[in-house]
Amino acid sequence: ASQKDVAYKTATATLSLLVDDVNDNRPVFIKQLPVTIMENAPDGSYVLDLSGEDQDEGDNSLLDFIITSDSVGAFRTAPNKSVLIVANSTALRGQDQAVVQFYLKERRQIVGQPCTNTTNCVGNVTIYITDVNDNSPEFNAPSYTFPLPSNTSGRYVIGQVLAHDGDRGDNALVKYSLTFISGPSDCSSVALNLTTGILTTEQQLPPGATCSWVVTACDSPTDSNSRCSFVPLTIAVVPSGNVVENSVTIPENVPIGTMVKVKGNTYSGLHDQFEIKVIKLII
């Protein structure tokens, strides 16, 4: 400013304008890459940081991430609302992956239509859940005893040992092996399929012979921490007349694993009862 009658006399002042931001931008969910956690992650475990972007300024850009769906019911946001954590570790067990969907809630009222779970202010993350090898194989019987007719010829299927592992993937793949305990040298003709557990022989064994083994079932983890279970196995060679052949008629569409008959046998003083189930149906 200057004085009219004396132009060289002037004064200056500073004027500041404060422009308030108008909360008129919707936030955008920043796409998250899939993450991986272990199925035994405890409650409170960190999963990932959630990301969103709002082009407003200051408090107008503050966001909360609201979970609208969780496919396994195992997660929640941390108190600061931008970190995903495990809330129910039990729900992770047996799951391969989870998908969690969010919408972005602005902490201050927006000018215009606010973000809801039906607008474009939504996003989701995929979480892969890695199996932990914490189950040992379990045999379907505490021991196995099979009769073997003394007049077999060619390849003869004696029976099957079977174990199930409650883990997933490689951790659930069971492989079998035999450890010989006692019996004549002819017992070495008995072979065990390492993956199916089916026992066969290619030659006759002497009448009255009894062969004993321990069957081992081990899982197949990618690391070296394999878990194993053990049961005794006995094969008794009996006269052919002591093994009763049974025929069962079933429909062609019977599901795998269906029990079709419960059979009781007595042979050479040994007693056994076992279930006949459909393992593989060949038409």
Side-chain angles (χ1 to χ4, degrees):
S2 61
Q3 190 172 311
K4 289 184 178 181
D5 56 345
V6 183
Y8 64 86
K9 292 183 177 182
T10 63
T12 59
T14 301
L15 175 64
S16 298
L17 297 177
L18 180 61
V19 179
D20 285 335
D21 176 70
V22 176
N23 191 19
D24 55 356
N25 291 293
R26 282 184 185 169
V28 176
F29 188 87
I30 297 176
K31 186 176 181 180
Q32 311 279 291
L33 294 175
V35 297
T36 300
I37 63 172
M38 302 298 291
E39 69 170 359
N40 63 345
D43 290 353
S45 297
Y46 167 85
V47 179
L48 82 161
D49 292 308
L50 301 169
S51 298
E53 184 178 59
D54 190 316
Q55 294 186 2
D56 292 307
E57 298 178 352
D59 290 345
N60 289 340
S61 66
L62 298 178
L63 306 171
D64 288 329
F65 294 83
I66 308 301
I67 295 178
T68 58
S69 67
D70 175 353
S71 63
V72 299
F75 304 96
R76 67 177 177 89
T77 53
N80 63 8
K81 303 294 185 181
S82 62
V83 174
L84 188 67
I85 62 175
V86 175
N88 180 9
S89 60
T90 303
L92 299 175
R93 291 288 181 174
Q95 303 293 335
D96 293 313
Q97 70 175 49
V99 177
V100 182
Q101 187 176 66
F102 307 84
Y103 85 89
L104 280 66
K105 180 181 179 181
E106 295 164 301
R107 295 183 184 177
R108 300 189 67 178
Q109 182 65 43
I110 191 173
V111 175
Q113 184 182 8
C115 279
T116 68
N117 59 355
T118 59
T119 68
N120 60 350
C121 311
V122 298
N124 60 66
V125 295
T126 299
I127 302 156
Y128 295 114
I129 303 167
T130 301
D131 179 71
V132 176
N133 187 29
D134 53 359
N135 291 290
S136 298
E138 292 185 6
F139 284 96
N140 64 349
S143 63
Y144 295 92
T145 300
F146 297 107
L148 177 63
S150 58
N151 63 343
T152 59
S153 61
R155 184 176 184 271
Y156 184 86
V157 176
I158 303 169
Q160 182 183 34
V161 297
L162 192 63
H164 171 74
D165 192 298
D167 292 306
R168 293 176 287 118
D170 289 343
N171 291 339
L173 295 177
V174 178
K175 293 184 178 180
Y176 303 95
S177 62
L178 286 177
T179 301
F180 182 68
I181 301 299
S182 63
S185 60
D186 304 82
C187 296
S188 61
S189 66
V190 175
L192 173 67
N193 187 292
L194 301 183
T195 57
T196 66
I198 293 176
L199 293 152
T200 59
T201 183
E202 299 273 349
Q203 69 181 50
Q204 291 184 6
L205 271 69
T210 299
C211 306
S212 299
W213 296 265
V214 170
V215 184
T216 303
C218 296
D219 54 24
S220 307
T222 53
D223 58 26
S224 58
N225 298 318
S226 180
R227 289 174 173 262
C228 300
S229 297
F230 312 89
V231 294
L233 164 67
T234 300
I235 295 177
V237 182
V238 298
S240 58
N242 287 21
V243 178
V244 180
E245 297 293 333
N246 285 269
S247 297
V248 180
T249 301
I250 59 174
E252 66 178 357
N253 61 345
V254 61
I256 300 299
T258 301
M259 184 175 68
V260 294
K261 190 172 184 180
V262 176
K263 176 181 173 183
N265 272 343
T266 300
Y267 46 90
S268 298
L270 301 174
H271 302 273
D272 191 24
Q273 177 174 299
F274 56 92
E275 296 176 353
I276 301 174
K277 289 188 177 182
V278 177
I279 299 171
K280 185 176 182 182
L281 189 62
I282 302 175
I283 304 299

